DNA sequence: CAGAATACCTGCGGGC
DNA sequence: TGCCCGCAGGTATTCT
Protein backbone atom coordinates (compact mmCIF):
# COMPACT_ATOMS: atom_id res chain seq x y z
CA UNK A 1 0.00 0.00 0.00
CA UNK A 2 2.25 2.75 1.14
CA UNK A 3 5.09 4.60 -0.45
CA UNK A 4 6.62 7.69 1.10
CA UNK A 5 3.60 9.98 0.54
CA UNK A 6 1.22 7.52 2.15
CA UNK A 7 3.51 7.07 5.17
CA UNK A 8 3.91 10.84 5.43
CA UNK A 9 0.13 11.25 5.26
CA UNK A 10 -0.24 8.72 8.06
CA UNK A 11 2.40 10.50 10.14
CA UNK A 12 0.75 13.91 9.77
CA UNK A 13 -2.62 12.47 10.70
CA UNK A 14 -1.30 10.83 13.85
CA UNK A 15 1.16 13.41 15.09
CA UNK A 16 -1.10 16.05 16.70
CA UNK A 17 -3.25 13.43 18.39
CA UNK A 18 -0.63 11.22 20.00
CA UNK A 19 2.31 13.54 20.80
CA UNK A 20 2.92 13.74 24.55
CA UNK A 21 0.07 11.33 25.19
CA UNK A 22 0.48 8.54 27.73
CA UNK A 23 0.02 4.98 26.49
CA UNK A 24 -2.64 3.38 28.65
CA UNK A 25 -3.30 0.12 26.82
CA UNK A 26 -1.57 -2.09 24.25
CA UNK A 27 -3.35 -4.99 22.56
CA UNK A 28 -1.40 -7.33 20.29
CA UNK A 29 -3.76 -9.79 18.62
CA UNK A 30 -1.26 -11.22 16.16
CA UNK A 31 2.48 -11.55 16.74
CA UNK A 32 3.40 -13.08 13.36
CA UNK A 33 4.06 -10.05 11.19
CA UNK A 34 6.99 -9.66 8.74
CA UNK A 35 9.18 -9.83 11.82
CA UNK A 36 7.71 -11.28 15.04
CA UNK A 37 6.27 -8.59 17.30
CA UNK A 38 8.65 -8.44 20.30
CA UNK A 39 7.27 -10.12 23.40
CA UNK A 40 8.24 -7.11 25.52
CA UNK A 41 6.63 -4.46 23.29
CA UNK A 42 3.55 -4.15 25.47
CA UNK A 43 5.39 -3.82 28.77
CA UNK A 44 7.88 -1.38 27.24
CA UNK A 45 5.08 0.92 26.08
CA UNK A 46 2.55 0.74 28.91
CA UNK A 47 2.53 3.92 30.98
CA UNK A 48 5.03 5.66 28.69
CA UNK A 49 4.57 9.02 27.02
CA UNK A 50 5.02 9.58 23.28
CA UNK A 51 7.98 11.93 23.01
CA UNK A 52 8.30 11.98 19.21
CA UNK A 53 6.88 10.57 15.99
CA UNK A 54 8.86 10.81 12.78
CA UNK A 55 9.40 9.20 9.42
CA UNK A 56 12.57 7.82 7.86
CA UNK A 57 11.91 6.54 4.34
CA UNK A 58 8.83 4.38 4.67
CA UNK A 59 9.49 3.67 8.36
CA UNK A 60 7.54 5.36 11.14
CA UNK A 61 9.45 5.90 14.37
CA UNK A 62 7.27 6.17 17.46
CA UNK A 63 9.48 7.28 20.28
CA UNK A 64 8.96 7.13 24.02
CA UNK A 65 11.59 8.16 26.54
CA UNK A 66 12.91 4.62 26.98
CA UNK A 67 13.06 3.54 23.32
CA UNK A 68 11.45 3.56 19.91
CA UNK A 69 8.88 1.49 18.04
CA UNK A 70 10.00 0.99 14.44
CA UNK A 71 6.88 0.61 12.32
CA UNK A 72 6.59 -0.41 8.69
CA UNK A 73 3.30 -0.73 6.82
CA UNK A 74 4.55 -3.26 4.25
CA UNK A 75 2.29 -3.65 1.21
CA UNK A 76 -1.15 -3.66 2.78
CA UNK A 77 -0.64 -2.08 6.19
CA UNK A 78 -2.60 0.89 7.47
CA UNK A 79 -2.89 2.85 10.68
CA UNK A 80 -6.16 4.40 11.78
CA UNK A 81 -6.83 6.69 14.69
CA UNK A 82 -10.06 5.75 16.37
CA UNK A 83 -12.00 7.88 18.82
CA UNK A 84 -14.21 5.08 20.06
CA UNK A 85 -13.48 1.51 20.97
CA UNK A 86 -14.67 -0.07 17.73
CA UNK A 87 -14.58 -3.90 17.77
CA UNK A 88 -11.50 -5.31 16.04
CA UNK A 89 -11.93 -6.84 12.61
CA UNK A 90 -10.15 -9.77 11.05
CA UNK A 91 -6.82 -8.08 10.19
CA UNK A 92 -6.62 -5.58 13.06
CA UNK A 93 -3.38 -6.79 14.65
CA UNK A 94 -2.30 -4.08 17.09
CA UNK A 95 -4.07 -1.40 19.15
CA UNK A 96 -2.29 1.30 21.17
CA UNK A 97 -4.65 3.34 23.37
CA UNK A 98 -3.72 6.78 24.72
CA UNK A 99 -4.75 8.84 27.71
CA UNK A 100 -6.82 11.14 25.47
CA UNK A 101 -8.96 8.10 24.58
CA UNK A 102 -7.60 7.92 21.02
CA UNK A 103 -6.67 4.48 19.75
CA UNK A 104 -3.98 3.79 17.16
CA UNK A 105 -5.03 0.66 15.26
CA UNK A 106 -2.71 -1.22 12.91
CA UNK A 107 -4.43 -3.25 10.20
CA UNK A 108 -2.55 -5.40 7.68
CA UNK A 109 -4.12 -8.27 5.71
CA UNK A 110 -0.86 -9.49 4.18
CA UNK A 111 1.22 -9.04 7.34
CA UNK A 112 4.28 -7.72 5.48
CA UNK A 113 4.34 -4.82 7.91
CA UNK A 114 5.91 -4.88 11.37
CA UNK A 115 6.34 -3.29 14.79
CA UNK A 116 9.83 -3.62 16.28
CA UNK A 117 11.30 -2.22 19.48
CA UNK A 118 14.72 -0.70 19.95
CA UNK A 119 16.34 1.05 22.88
CA UNK A 120 19.16 2.41 20.74
CA UNK A 121 19.06 5.10 18.10
CA UNK A 122 16.62 3.68 15.53
CA UNK A 123 18.73 5.14 12.71
CA UNK A 124 21.48 2.70 13.70
CA UNK A 125 19.14 -0.29 13.56
CA UNK A 126 20.22 -2.86 10.93
CA UNK A 127 17.05 -2.17 8.90
CA UNK A 128 17.71 1.57 8.77
CA UNK A 129 21.45 2.06 8.99
CA UNK A 130 22.17 1.72 5.25
CA UNK A 131 19.26 3.81 3.96
CA UNK A 132 19.98 6.43 1.33
CA UNK A 133 19.02 10.10 1.55
CA UNK A 134 15.50 11.44 1.94
CA UNK A 135 14.33 12.45 -1.54
CA UNK A 136 12.70 15.67 -0.30
CA UNK A 137 15.82 17.03 1.34
CA UNK A 138 18.74 18.91 -0.19
CA UNK A 139 20.96 15.89 0.30
CA UNK A 140 19.22 14.25 -2.66
CA UNK A 141 20.45 16.00 -5.78
CA UNK A 142 20.93 15.29 -9.45
CA UNK A 143 24.67 15.21 -8.89
CA UNK A 144 24.25 12.61 -6.17
CA UNK A 145 21.97 10.50 -8.35
CA UNK A 146 24.41 10.76 -11.25
CA UNK A 147 27.22 9.53 -9.04
CA UNK A 148 25.10 6.49 -8.09
CA UNK A 149 24.08 5.75 -11.68
CA UNK A 150 27.69 5.73 -12.81
CA UNK A 151 28.36 2.71 -10.62
CA UNK A 152 25.46 0.53 -11.76
CA UNK A 153 24.16 -1.16 -14.87
CA UNK A 154 20.71 -2.00 -13.51
CA UNK A 155 17.60 -0.53 -15.08
CA UNK A 156 17.14 3.04 -13.87
CA UNK A 157 13.72 2.17 -12.44
CA UNK A 158 15.27 -0.55 -10.30
CA UNK A 159 17.97 1.87 -9.15
CA UNK A 160 15.60 4.58 -7.94
CA UNK A 161 13.51 1.97 -6.11
CA UNK A 162 16.61 0.82 -4.22
CA UNK A 163 16.37 2.27 -0.70
CA UNK A 164 20.15 2.35 -0.42
CA UNK A 165 20.18 4.88 -3.25
CA UNK A 166 17.18 6.94 -2.17
CA UNK A 167 14.36 6.08 0.22
CA UNK A 168 10.63 6.20 -0.30
CA UNK A 169 10.32 5.74 -4.06
CA UNK A 170 8.03 2.77 -4.62
CA UNK A 171 6.53 1.30 -7.74
CA UNK A 172 3.86 3.91 -8.42
CA UNK A 173 6.06 6.97 -8.04
CA UNK A 174 9.04 5.38 -9.79
CA UNK A 175 6.85 4.97 -12.87
CA UNK A 176 5.48 8.50 -12.55
CA UNK A 177 8.84 10.18 -12.00
CA UNK A 178 10.42 8.43 -15.01
CA UNK A 179 7.52 9.56 -17.19
CA UNK A 180 7.84 13.13 -15.96
CA UNK A 181 11.59 13.07 -16.65
CA UNK A 182 11.17 11.46 -20.08
CA UNK A 183 13.40 8.51 -19.25
CA UNK A 184 12.75 4.91 -20.28
CA UNK A 185 12.41 2.69 -17.18
CA UNK A 186 14.70 0.07 -18.71
CA UNK A 187 17.57 2.42 -19.50
CA UNK A 188 20.74 1.05 -17.88
CA UNK A 189 21.59 3.40 -15.00
CA UNK A 190 25.09 4.14 -16.26
CA UNK A 191 23.77 5.37 -19.61
CA UNK A 192 22.00 8.41 -18.09
CA UNK A 193 23.57 11.80 -18.57
CA UNK A 194 24.10 14.23 -15.72
CA UNK A 195 21.31 16.33 -17.18
CA UNK A 196 18.93 13.37 -17.14
CA UNK A 197 19.85 12.60 -13.54
CA UNK A 198 19.11 16.18 -12.57
CA UNK A 199 15.74 16.04 -14.29
CA UNK A 200 14.97 12.71 -12.66
CA UNK A 201 15.86 13.97 -9.19
CA UNK A 202 13.59 16.97 -9.75
CA UNK A 203 10.81 14.72 -11.05
CA UNK A 204 11.03 12.45 -8.00
CA UNK A 205 10.75 15.44 -5.68
CA UNK A 206 7.84 16.90 -7.63
CA UNK A 207 5.87 13.68 -7.81
CA UNK A 208 6.32 12.94 -4.11
CA UNK A 209 5.44 16.50 -3.04
CA UNK A 210 2.33 16.54 -5.19
CA UNK A 211 1.26 13.15 -3.86
CA UNK A 212 1.72 14.29 -0.26
CA UNK A 213 -0.42 17.36 -1.00
CA UNK A 214 -3.12 15.02 -2.30
CA UNK A 215 -3.01 12.83 0.78
CA UNK A 216 -1.34 9.96 -1.08
CA UNK A 217 -2.61 7.54 -3.69
CA UNK A 218 -5.56 5.27 -3.03
CA UNK A 219 -5.53 2.44 -5.57
CA UNK A 220 -7.95 0.22 -3.75
CA UNK A 221 -7.52 0.38 -0.04
CA UNK A 222 -5.18 3.11 1.17
CA UNK A 223 -6.89 5.31 3.78
CA UNK A 224 -5.30 7.93 5.98
CA UNK A 225 -5.39 7.85 9.77
CA UNK A 226 -8.89 9.34 9.70
CA UNK A 227 -10.11 6.78 7.18
CA UNK A 228 -10.07 9.09 4.16
CA UNK A 229 -8.86 8.05 0.70
CA UNK A 230 -5.93 9.85 -0.92
CA UNK A 231 -6.79 11.47 -4.23
CA UNK A 232 -3.47 11.42 -6.09
CA UNK A 233 -4.74 8.42 -8.11
CA UNK A 234 -6.57 10.87 -10.38
CA UNK A 235 -3.27 12.62 -11.11
CA UNK A 236 -1.39 9.49 -12.18
CA UNK A 237 0.06 9.90 -15.68
CA UNK A 238 1.16 6.37 -16.55
CA UNK A 239 0.72 4.00 -13.61
CA UNK A 240 -2.07 1.53 -14.38
CA UNK A 241 -2.73 3.09 -17.80
CA UNK A 242 -1.74 0.13 -20.01
CA UNK A 243 -3.01 0.62 -23.59
CA UNK A 244 -4.57 3.98 -22.72
CA UNK A 245 -3.42 7.12 -24.54
CA UNK A 246 -0.46 9.00 -23.08
CA UNK A 247 -1.64 12.17 -21.35
CA UNK A 248 0.98 14.15 -23.27
CA UNK A 249 1.13 12.71 -26.79
CA UNK A 250 -1.72 10.18 -27.12
CA UNK A 251 0.63 7.29 -27.92
CA UNK A 252 -0.69 4.18 -26.19
CA UNK A 253 0.99 3.56 -22.84
CA UNK A 254 2.89 0.26 -22.72
CA UNK A 255 3.31 -2.08 -19.78
CA UNK A 256 6.03 -4.59 -19.00
CA UNK A 257 7.47 -6.52 -16.06
CA UNK A 258 10.71 -5.13 -14.73
CA UNK A 259 12.26 -6.91 -11.74
CA UNK A 260 8.89 -8.57 -11.07
CA UNK A 261 7.12 -5.21 -10.84
CA UNK A 262 4.48 -3.74 -13.16
CA UNK A 263 6.05 -1.02 -15.23
CA UNK A 264 4.26 1.55 -17.37
CA UNK A 265 5.76 4.01 -19.83
CA UNK A 266 5.05 5.99 -22.96
CA UNK A 267 7.24 4.68 -25.80
CA UNK A 268 7.22 8.12 -27.41
CA UNK A 269 7.90 10.35 -24.40
CA UNK A 270 10.38 7.91 -22.84
CA UNK A 271 12.58 6.83 -25.73
CA UNK A 272 15.36 4.43 -24.83
CA UNK A 273 18.70 6.12 -25.30
CA UNK A 274 17.15 9.40 -26.34
CA UNK A 275 16.44 12.51 -24.35
CA UNK A 276 13.69 14.77 -25.70
CA UNK A 277 14.63 18.43 -25.30
CA UNK A 278 11.11 19.52 -24.35
CA UNK A 279 11.44 17.57 -21.09
CA UNK A 280 13.34 20.43 -19.51
CA UNK A 281 10.30 22.63 -19.98
CA UNK A 282 8.03 19.99 -18.52
CA UNK A 283 10.03 19.20 -15.42
CA UNK A 284 11.24 22.72 -14.75
CA UNK A 285 14.55 24.23 -13.85
CA UNK A 286 16.83 22.40 -11.51
C1' DC B 1 30.89 -8.52 -5.60
C1' DA B 2 26.47 -7.27 -8.54
C1' DG B 3 22.24 -8.51 -10.08
C1' DA B 4 18.36 -11.60 -10.33
C1' DA B 5 15.11 -14.58 -8.26
C1' DT B 6 12.56 -15.98 -4.31
C1' DA B 7 10.11 -15.68 -0.15
C1' DC B 8 6.80 -13.90 3.07
C1' DC B 9 0.86 -13.44 3.17
C1' DT B 10 -4.11 -12.56 2.03
C1' DG B 11 -7.57 -10.99 -1.16
C1' DC B 12 -9.38 -10.02 -5.49
C1' DG B 13 -10.61 -10.27 -10.30
C1' DG B 14 -10.54 -12.77 -14.61
C1' DG B 15 -10.82 -16.94 -17.34
C1' DC B 16 -12.64 -21.34 -17.75
C1' DT C 1 -21.17 -21.27 -8.94
C1' DG C 2 -16.38 -22.61 -8.02
C1' DC C 3 -11.53 -23.42 -8.93
C1' DC C 4 -7.03 -21.89 -10.48
C1' DC C 5 -4.03 -18.40 -11.80
C1' DG C 6 -1.78 -14.10 -11.64
C1' DC C 7 -1.32 -9.93 -9.54
C1' DA C 8 -1.11 -6.20 -5.64
C1' DG C 9 1.52 0.00 -2.83
C1' DG C 10 7.75 -3.78 0.03
C1' DT C 11 12.07 -5.56 0.98
C1' DA C 12 15.21 -9.15 3.31
C1' DT C 13 17.23 -13.22 1.97
C1' DT C 14 18.95 -16.57 -1.09
C1' DC C 15 20.54 -17.81 -5.62
C1' DT C 16 23.79 -17.50 -9.70
Amino acid sequence: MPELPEVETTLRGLYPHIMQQKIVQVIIRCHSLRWPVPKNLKQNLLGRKVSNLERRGKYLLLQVDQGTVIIHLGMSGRIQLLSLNIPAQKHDHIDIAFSNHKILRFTDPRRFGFFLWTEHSPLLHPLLKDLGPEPLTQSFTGNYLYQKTQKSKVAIKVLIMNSKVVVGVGNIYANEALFMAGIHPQAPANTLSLKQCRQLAVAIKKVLRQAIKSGGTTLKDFLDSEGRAGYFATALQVYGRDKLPCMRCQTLVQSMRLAQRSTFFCPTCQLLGCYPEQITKRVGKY
Side-chain angles (χ1 to χ4, degrees), chain A residues 47-67:
Chain A
R48 309 299 195 196
K49 195 180 67 180
V50 178
S51 58
N52 200 13
L53 178 66
E54 56 191 343
R55 178 186 62 71
R56 173 76 175 104
K58 298 171 190 167
Y59 296 87
L60 281 172
L61 306 173
L62 192 163
Q63 189 184 320
V64 298
D65 288 336
Q66 295 76 10

Side-chain angles (χ1 to χ4, degrees), chain A residues 18-272:
Chain A
I18 72 172
M19 275 300 285
Q20 303 301 328
Q21 293 298 318
K22 193 171 133 186
I23 294 168
V24 297
Q25 193 182 20
V26 176
I27 301 172
I28 301 168
R29 299 184 189 82
C30 174
H31 284 263
S32 65
L33 302 181
R34 177 69 160 83
W35 308 107
V37 179
K39 281 278 181 290
N40 59 8
L41 182 69
K42 176 173 178 173
Q43 83 176 63
N44 287 337
L45 289 179
L46 269 180
R48 309 299 195 196
K49 195 180 67 180
V50 178
S51 58
N52 200 13
L53 178 66
E54 56 191 343
R55 178 186 62 71
R56 173 76 175 104
K58 298 171 190 167
Y59 296 87
L60 281 172
L61 306 173
L62 192 163
Q63 189 184 320
V64 298
D65 288 336
Q66 295 76 10
T68 304
V69 188
I70 301 173
I71 300 171
H72 198 288
L73 302 180
M75 287 277 260
S76 56
R78 162 159 98 88
I79 287 177
Q80 286 173 273
L81 199 61
L82 306 173
S83 299
L84 297 170
N85 200 345
I86 296 165
Q89 314 266 304
K90 188 172 182 186
H91 301 296
D92 296 342
H93 305 311
I94 296 178
D95 282 2
I96 299 177
F98 301 93
S99 43
N100 61 357
H101 305 294
K102 300 277 186 184
I103 299 164
L104 181 162
R105 174 164 290 174
F106 173 70
T107 307
D108 186 4
R110 295 176 72 178
R111 288 187 276 123
F112 288 172
F114 55 82
F115 276 52
L116 291 178
W117 171 259
T118 179
E119 294 179 1
H120 308 290
S121 165
L123 301 182
L124 301 180
H125 188 278
L127 292 173
L128 284 83
K129 68 179 172 54
D130 294 323
L131 292 180
E134 288 288 331
L136 296 179
T137 64
Q138 293 186 341
S139 60
F140 180 64
T141 65
N143 286 342
Y144 165 84
L145 186 58
Y146 181 64
Q147 173 209 321
K148 289 293 180 186
T149 59
Q150 291 296 95
K151 291 184 287 194
S152 173
K153 294 179 196 171
V154 296
I156 186 60
K157 177 168 180 259
V158 172
L159 185 99
I160 62 175
M161 290 180 69
N162 180 348
S163 62
K164 290 181 181 173
V165 174
V166 58
V167 296
V169 182
N171 198 36
I172 293 179
Y173 302 116
N175 280 291
E176 293 298 308
L178 287 164
F179 173 77
M180 189 186 287
I183 296 168
H184 195 291
Q186 244 179 339
N190 61 1
T191 64
L192 296 212
S193 66
L194 173 58
K195 183 175 178 183
Q196 284 180 305
C197 288
R198 288 180 169 166
Q199 300 290 8
L200 182 53
V202 171
I204 288 170
K205 289 170 191 278
K206 281 201 163 189
V207 164
L208 295 178
R209 284 207 182 97
Q210 286 172 13
I212 290 170
K213 272 192 192 169
S214 305
T217 298
T218 296
L219 285 187
K220 42 185 305 204
D221 59 2
F222 172 73
L223 301 174
D224 71 12
S225 65
E226 311 279 348
R228 295 171 301 219
Y231 54 92
F232 193 72
T234 59
L236 294 175
Q237 301 287 298
V238 284
Y239 186 87
R241 292 183 50 79
D242 186 29
K243 299 188 181 74
L244 293 173
C246 169
M247 304 268 208
R248 277 191 69 242
C249 77
Q250 313 302 119
T251 302
L252 298 192
V253 169
Q254 285 185 14
S255 72
M256 62 185 293
R257 298 289 286 181
L258 194 47
Q260 287 77 241
R261 309 303 298 271
S262 286
T263 301
F264 304 88
F265 65 100
C266 169
T268 301
C269 297
Q270 296 168 268
L271 284 177
L272 243 188

